[in-house]
Amino acid sequence: MKQKSEFAIEGLREYNRQSAVRWIISHCLEHKPYLFIGLVGFALTYISFSGARVMFGRGAEIIIEGGDAQAVIAVSLAVLVLSVSDGLFSLMGSMVMVILSTRVERDSRHELYTSLLGKSQTFHDQQRVGDIMARATDDVRQLNFVIHPGIMFIFDMVLGFAVPMIYIAAINLELLLVPMIFVVAYVIVVRRYMHRLQPVVMQQRQQYGALSARLEETISGIEIVKVAAQEMEERKKFKRNAWKFRDFFVQQGKIEAAYLPLLMFGIAFGFFFLHCLNMYARGILSIGDVIAVAGLMQVLSFPVFISLFSISMIQLGLAGARRILELIEQRTDIDENLAGHRAAVTGAIEFDNITFKFHGKTVLEDVSFRVEPGQTVAIVGQTGSGKTTLTQLVGRTYDVHAGRVLIDGVDVRDWNLDRLRSQMGKIEQDIFLFSRSVADNIAFGVQGATREQIEAAAKEAQAHDFIMAFNDGYDSEIGERGVMLSGGQRQRLALARAFLRQPRILILDDSTSAIDSATEDEIQKAMRRAQEGRTTILITHRLSQIRWADRIIVLENGRVIANGAHEELLGSSPHYRRIFARYDAPQLAPAFA
């Protein structure tokens, strides 16, 4: 059964992914007119080019036999027409192949990007961003070179062998003896050459991915690198990776340097010419025929020469295609469930004996509790107890291994994923902001949001004042991941984004940890207004926030060990008291007084 993706686009074309070659061909066949025109153009190019060689022989024969000027002029005009046609058809074929290659590159990049969007969080947790970027950029770019000049050169090779040999056969079938032997030997040698080249090229592409991944990690963590004074060490590691990448190019060069077909052609041409002279001595061929077939045999030299480059380009492209398909074809743990339940969420959440494992380790076990619509539930526990993981199961970032998570009585796996997530909002401690304007970040996920709505959400999140302090206000660019903002400013923008969406289920994962107490008081008032009529799951270490939760769930080692209101748990749960003796000791003192 075909594995569905977590996210899908209706009407997106499906390509043949049984192998890299079939995948590329299926992309080309989506643009059949260009492929056909290119093939016809190159066929006519070789017909014209080879025809001109035949005319050279006819011209020489006319001159030797003392023909009149009119016959010489006629042959000259024929050569001129054929040469011009050769150039025009070659130009047409090349232009069409450039268009085809660009469209295949565009389509394959779109297919890969859409596939990456459709992968589950588990998939992305296991990937290195730099390697994905290498595949999405350089490997996809190699597909362009597969088509142009790669496939164009393949056309050149096939037609460059076939058309001249047809002309030679038309002059005399016996003349095919040497060319046929050469072609058979050429195919055998080229197959061995490709067999040697393929693993080296694949390792080269993989090393490029590793090089890019290392670079991305270093640049993303440049602050840590500088704080630890590890610039020199990182430079050494990058240099080692770069030298490994270079070594594979050297190996490729050594294999290409031992390319035998060029030597084989020289030997074949010598035997072919000897054969022609023998047939001339026997009176089978004329001088004009010898000149013509020698010219036709020389046509074979170009496809032999370019095959050295075309095969390398095609091997690089196929290696890139295999790496792209490896990403596209990796199974995803979560499907979008397009035919799933679609309804307005009221906010009832139930965890029914759930168990969740991550990389074989049990993170949550036999967790059961229910959240009524409109309730605020705080989840507390020491670091590593499974608090964040529990909230990730609500929106199907991950799926449970046992038990059920129910939204309004319906298993989340039976919901249409897009419909479910569109009615949820989540704010995490590690806020991700896009390298876009402030307004675009607040309005992310809300189509058609007006500036008035954006500003209202920002005011509720206590973000309006600092936004207006920027030179361009809401149109200010905030840099990659919001690098131009402080931690508290990033969290307030995330809160504004959640307020604008007005979700039915709101998940707050330590969402005010970087905000000062005075600002937090104002934000909490806005959050309480935003939570009215909404189900809220709250993860925080601040007692001031937990106290106004309707219920509190205490986790330890992935299990629920206490469940109740704040005052109730203070009296009944030693574990709860220990947690807050660490989190907020000054605030607990009055409670125990």
Side-chain angles (χ1 to χ4, degrees):
M1 183 176 178
K2 185 177 179 180
Q3 179 68 37
K4 296 181 180 179
S5 65
E6 178 181 341
F7 169 81
I9 295 179
E10 293 185 13
L12 189 68
R13 294 183 182 275
E14 290 290 337
Y15 299 96
N16 188 331
R17 299 171 183 165
Q18 294 181 2
S19 68
V21 173
R22 292 185 181 185
W23 183 62
I24 293 174
I25 291 174
S26 67
H27 269 280
C28 292
L29 291 178
E30 288 297 325
H31 308 283
K32 292 178 184 176
Y34 294 100
L35 190 63
F36 176 75
I37 293 172
L39 180 58
V40 170
F42 289 122
L44 294 175
T45 295
Y46 272 98
I47 290 172
S48 302
F49 187 73
S50 299
R53 309 281 86 72
V54 175
M55 287 297 103
F56 287 154
R58 293 291 173 260
E61 194 168 322
I62 290 172
I63 293 173
I64 291 172
E65 293 177 354
D68 56 20
Q70 187 174 359
V72 173
I73 292 173
V75 170
S76 299
L77 288 175
V79 170
L80 176 62
V81 170
L82 289 170
S83 298
V84 172
S85 299
D86 167 29
L88 291 175
F89 289 133
S90 178
L91 178 63
M92 179 184 74
S94 296
M95 289 178 62
V96 168
M97 294 305 290
V98 168
I99 296 173
L100 175 63
S101 63
T102 304
R103 293 198 172 197
V104 168
E105 179 184 355
R106 177 201 63 189
D107 293 347
S108 57
R109 182 173 281 114
H110 182 214
E111 182 184 4
L112 175 59
Y113 181 66
T114 302
S115 172
L116 290 173
L117 288 177
K119 301 299 185 183
S120 67
Q121 186 63 45
T122 305
F123 167 86
H124 287 287
D125 288 342
Q126 298 169 351
Q127 303 302 315
R128 303 177 73 183
V129 175
D131 185 52
I132 290 180
M133 292 301 298
R135 300 187 198 213
T137 54
D138 200 66
D139 284 334
V140 172
R141 182 60 179 165
Q142 294 299 325
L143 296 179
N144 189 309
F145 299 138
V146 169
I147 311 299
H148 183 271
I151 289 182
M152 184 184 78
F153 284 166
I154 293 296
F155 285 170
D156 276 330
M157 283 193 294
V158 174
L159 296 170
F161 285 144
V163 174
M165 290 175 67
I166 291 173
Y167 274 105
I168 291 172
I171 294 173
N172 193 297
L173 279 174
E174 186 181 335
L175 290 170
L176 286 178
L177 177 62
V178 174
M180 288 296 294
I181 294 174
F182 167 71
V183 168
V184 172
Y186 171 83
V187 170
I188 295 172
V189 171
V190 165
R191 286 192 63 181
R192 293 185 61 187
Y193 170 75
M194 291 175 65
H195 183 71
R196 292 179 60 203
L197 187 63
Q198 179 179 332
V200 174
V201 168
M202 190 65 188
Q203 289 174 314
Q204 182 190 116
R205 301 310 309 159
Q206 290 173 343
Q207 181 59 30
Y208 179 79
L211 181 71
S212 300
R214 186 79 195 189
L215 175 63
E216 188 277 332
E217 288 176 354
T218 302
I219 298 301
S220 296
I222 191 66
E223 183 178 355
I224 297 174
V225 171
K226 289 187 173 296
V227 168
Q230 289 297 299
E231 293 93 337
M232 187 60 68
E233 183 62 29
E234 290 300 313
R235 178 185 173 187
K236 291 178 181 178
K237 291 177 181 178
F238 183 82
K239 185 177 181 180
R240 284 197 294 268
N241 279 330
W243 272 95
K244 287 180 182 179
F245 186 45
R246 170 256 183 201
D247 289 343
F248 287 122
F249 270 104
V250 172
Q251 289 184 40
Q252 179 183 344
K254 289 179 178 179
I255 294 172
E256 291 175 352
Y259 191 66
L260 292 177
L262 291 173
L263 174 63
M264 291 166 53
F265 176 78
I267 296 172
F269 188 83
F271 278 107
F272 179 78
F273 191 66
L274 181 62
H275 188 199
C276 290
L277 293 180
N278 177 264
M279 293 180 68
Y280 171 76
R282 290 184 287 149
I284 300 175
L285 296 180
S286 64
I287 289 294
D289 290 334
V290 172
I291 294 173
V293 295
L296 289 169
M297 185 64 181
Q298 192 63 41
V299 174
L300 272 65
S301 64
F302 182 68
V304 172
F305 172 72
I306 63 169
S307 65
L308 171 62
F309 307 103
S310 62
I311 291 173
S312 296
M313 288 181 179
I314 289 172
Q315 287 294 330
L316 280 169
L318 289 177
R322 292 185 187 99
R323 281 167 46 80
I324 294 167
L325 281 176
E326 184 181 346
L327 281 184
I328 293 176
E329 287 293 275
Q330 278 196 41
R331 70 180 299 274
T332 181
D333 300 314
I334 298 175
D335 65 270
E336 189 181 9
N337 195 8
L338 290 172
H341 184 67
R342 302 174 66 93
V345 170
T346 60
I349 305 173
E350 182 178 357
F351 294 87
D352 181 16
N353 293 317
I354 66 163
T355 295
F356 175 75
K357 298 179 180 180
F358 192 74
H359 294 304
K361 179 182 178 182
T362 300
V363 180
L364 295 167
E365 187 173 7
D366 295 331
V367 174
S368 295
F369 64 91
R370 179 177 172 82
V371 184
E372 298 299 334
Q375 274 192 334
T376 295
V377 173
I379 301 175
V380 300
Q382 296 183 359
T383 301
S385 59
K387 303 185 297 295
T388 297
T389 302
L390 191 66
T391 63
Q392 290 173 324
L393 301 178
V394 178
R396 290 192 70 200
T397 301
Y398 304 105
D399 272 340
V400 297
H401 291 88
R404 299 180 301 165
V405 179
L406 306 172
I407 304 291
D408 296 342
V410 179
D411 193 318
V412 291
R413 290 168 291 194
D414 295 329
W415 276 83
N416 174 279
L417 191 59
D418 181 67
R419 180 63 175 165
L420 175 64
R421 289 180 176 174
S422 67
Q423 300 180 81
M424 296 177 59
K426 185 175 183 181
I427 307 173
E428 298 179 332
Q429 182 178 6
D430 183 17
I431 302 298
F432 186 92
L433 296 175
F434 296 93
S435 182
R436 304 172 189 174
S437 69
V438 171
D440 287 342
N441 272 282
I442 294 175
F444 186 79
V446 181
Q447 299 296 325
T450 64
R451 181 56 63 93
E452 291 75 17
Q453 292 173 322
I454 293 172
E455 290 185 8
K459 288 175 181 177
E460 275 198 296
Q462 301 298 304
H464 180 74
D465 291 341
F466 82 76
I467 293 173
M468 294 308 296
F470 295 149
N471 291 334
D472 297 321
Y474 283 84
D475 295 319
S476 301
E477 298 287 332
I478 61 175
E480 188 171 0
R481 298 181 67 94
V483 69
M484 297 173 61
L485 305 177
S486 68
Q489 289 173 333
R490 287 198 294 269
Q491 287 192 332
R492 278 178 274 177
L493 284 188
L495 286 167
R497 184 159 62 192
F499 291 160
L500 182 61
R501 292 189 66 186
Q502 297 186 342
R504 300 302 305 166
I505 297 176
L506 183 61
I507 298 173
L508 305 173
D509 189 350
D510 222 359
S511 58
T512 58
S513 60
I515 297 174
D516 61 87
S517 299
T519 304
E520 182 187 358
D521 290 339
E522 295 300 320
I523 291 176
Q524 284 204 34
K525 293 176 184 178
M527 287 172 63
R528 292 187 187 186
R529 290 194 298 271
Q531 289 173 250
E532 292 178 2
R534 294 182 175 86
T535 302
T536 304
I537 297 179
L538 175 68
I539 299 175
T540 183
H541 295 166
R542 296 194 177 188
L543 183 59
S544 59
Q545 294 185 37
I546 293 174
R547 277 180 166 175
W548 47 264
D550 297 308
R551 292 176 61 198
I552 299 169
I553 307 297
V554 183
L555 288 179
E556 183 178 19
N557 297 326
R559 289 178 173 271
V560 176
I561 61 170
N563 182 352
H566 171 68
E567 297 297 336
E568 176 187 347
L569 291 178
L570 282 177
S572 63
S573 175
H575 189 84
Y576 183 74
R577 289 197 298 270
R578 283 198 304 271
I579 289 175
F580 284 99
R582 297 173 183 173
Y583 286 171
D584 227 327
Q587 297 183 56
L588 270 179
F592 288 110

